[in-house]
């Protein structure tokens, strides 16, 4: 019997690790290793929305933040949305992440989380949180923030993308969140022929931080990009 999408991604997360060497000042956070409840709520989430053999389109983020998937193990999902929208409670942490706010508003306009997750899979080419020590504090970092950092994770990112594709994703079109992210995904795609077409959308964090007054324009843009998949 074929494994369901849920079984594949849960198994992937259960063995997820990065053993490469990062440049000085950078660290990787693995929520699945750091908090046993993360594995529990992640498994419950995918069991609820992905326990099927559906082919899905892929939405590519950057890498998890400390307060979103860096806690829940679920991309663009903080503990508030996890409980209020998905009905899954996380007791060991309470987080609010602005990208999660936008994504779940968009899913509601799309037709709700059940429909959205039946059609789409969201993840990142580097699926663990990266932090950088800045003025004595560990802050969120993106995989592309530092040239040496990107080079140290590049091969791993390709392996991860190929693994996700092997779960049964539709590679005719991929949706990439973030203009700078798209530059690097385009490079990986040219070198490895992963996807036929790339559609780039502004990153939810950028929209929430800098374009909040025009948020509806971006919500409409997302829905328009996804409407062919309904």
């Amino acid at each position: 019997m074929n494994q369901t999408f849920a079984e594949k991604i849960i198994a992937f997360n259960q063995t997820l690790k990065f053993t490469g060497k990062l440049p000085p000042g950078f660290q990787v956070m693995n929520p699945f290793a750091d908090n046993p409840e993360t594995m529990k709520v992640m498994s419950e989430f995918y069991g609820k929305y992905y326990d099927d053999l559906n082919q899905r389109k892929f939405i590519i983020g950057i890498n998890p933040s400390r307060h979103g998937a860096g806690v829940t193990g679920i991309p663009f999902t903080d503990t508030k949305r996890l409980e209020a929208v998905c009905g899954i409670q996380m007791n060991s942490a309470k987080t609010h992440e602005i990208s999660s706010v936008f994504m779940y508003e968009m899913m509601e306009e799309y037709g709700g989380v059940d429909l959205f997750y039946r059609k789409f899979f969201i993840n990142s080419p580097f699926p663990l949180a990266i932090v950088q020590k800045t003025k004595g504090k560990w802050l969120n970092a993106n995989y592309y923030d530092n040239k040496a950092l990107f080079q140290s994770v590049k091969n791993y990112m390709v392996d991860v993308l190929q693994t996700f594709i092997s779960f049964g994703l539709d590679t005719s079109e991929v949706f990439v969140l973030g203009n700078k992210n798209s530059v690097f995904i385009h490079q990986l795609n040219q070198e490895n022929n992963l996807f036929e077409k790339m559609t780039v959308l502004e990153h939810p964090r950028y929209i929430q931080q800098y374009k909040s007054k025009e948020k509806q324009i971006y919500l409409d843009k997302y829905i328009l990009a996804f409407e062919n998949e309904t």
Side-chain angles (χ1 to χ4, degrees):
M1 184 177 176
N2 289 335
Q3 277 190 311
T4 65
F5 203 104
E7 289 169 332
K8 292 174 184 177
I9 188 61
I10 291 168
F12 173 84
N13 286 335
Q14 285 172 337
T15 58
L16 184 59
K17 59 184 177 182
F18 176 74
T19 57
K21 185 176 173 64
L22 296 178
F26 291 95
Q27 284 188 5
V28 166
M29 294 172 57
N30 186 340
F32 304 112
D34 296 341
N35 184 353
E37 195 182 14
T38 299
M39 192 68 74
K40 177 179 176 293
V41 299
M42 176 277 297
S43 299
E44 191 175 341
F45 172 86
Y46 285 108
K48 183 172 184 176
Y49 296 110
Y50 288 82
D51 195 27
D52 56 54
L53 302 175
N54 294 352
Q55 187 179 55
R56 290 171 167 86
K57 285 284 178 69
F58 192 13
I59 300 171
I60 300 181
I62 303 171
N63 46 264
S65 76
R66 293 172 301 155
H67 302 302
V71 172
T72 63
I74 303 157
F76 292 101
T77 303
D78 59 17
T79 63
K80 284 187 179 179
R81 260 47 57 181
L82 183 65
E83 182 172 354
V85 184
C86 302
I88 300 171
Q89 189 170 358
M90 189 167 187
N91 297 311
S92 59
K94 299 296 178 188
T95 60
H96 174 89
E97 212 276 325
I98 63 171
S99 293
S100 184
V101 175
F102 178 87
M103 290 298 281
Y104 276 82
E105 284 185 27
M106 180 274 296
M107 290 181 212
E108 181 63 29
E109 291 206 12
Y110 182 82
V113 291
D114 292 274
L115 176 62
F116 186 84
Y117 285 132
R118 198 155 61 239
K119 303 276 186 183
F120 297 96
F121 173 64
I122 311 173
N123 219 301
S124 303
F126 194 88
L128 296 169
I130 303 173
V131 290
Q132 180 180 15
K133 198 163 194 179
T134 305
K135 296 181 180 179
K137 294 183 178 180
W138 290 101
L139 302 176
N140 283 328
N142 299 319
Y143 72 82
Y144 53 62
D145 283 344
N146 176 286
K147 188 175 181 180
L149 175 63
F150 175 63
Q151 289 302 320
S152 69
V153 300
K154 180 180 176 183
N155 290 338
Y156 177 81
M157 288 168 57
V158 173
D159 289 343
V160 166
L161 291 173
Q162 289 174 334
T163 299
F164 288 153
I165 289 169
S166 76
F167 292 171
L169 295 177
D170 180 350
T171 58
S172 63
E173 181 178 17
V174 66
F175 301 93
V176 181
L177 306 185
N179 291 314
K180 192 167 183 181
N181 188 29
S182 71
V183 173
F184 290 85
I185 300 301
H186 178 71
Q187 178 185 333
L188 298 183
N189 195 40
Q190 280 196 316
E191 294 171 357
N192 299 277
N193 297 313
L194 302 169
F195 309 102
E196 294 174 30
K197 177 187 175 184
M198 273 179 49
T199 296
V200 182
L201 296 164
E202 287 79 3
H203 196 278
R205 175 170 284 277
Y206 167 80
I207 297 167
Q208 291 286 100
Q209 281 191 304
Y210 302 110
K211 298 291 183 180
S212 60
K213 290 182 180 178
E214 298 97 51
K215 181 163 66 172
Q216 190 60 49
I217 294 172
Y218 293 97
L219 287 167
D220 293 344
K221 184 176 180 179
Y222 268 64
I223 300 300
L224 188 62
F226 296 151
E227 69 175 356
N228 292 331
E229 316 310 320
T230 55

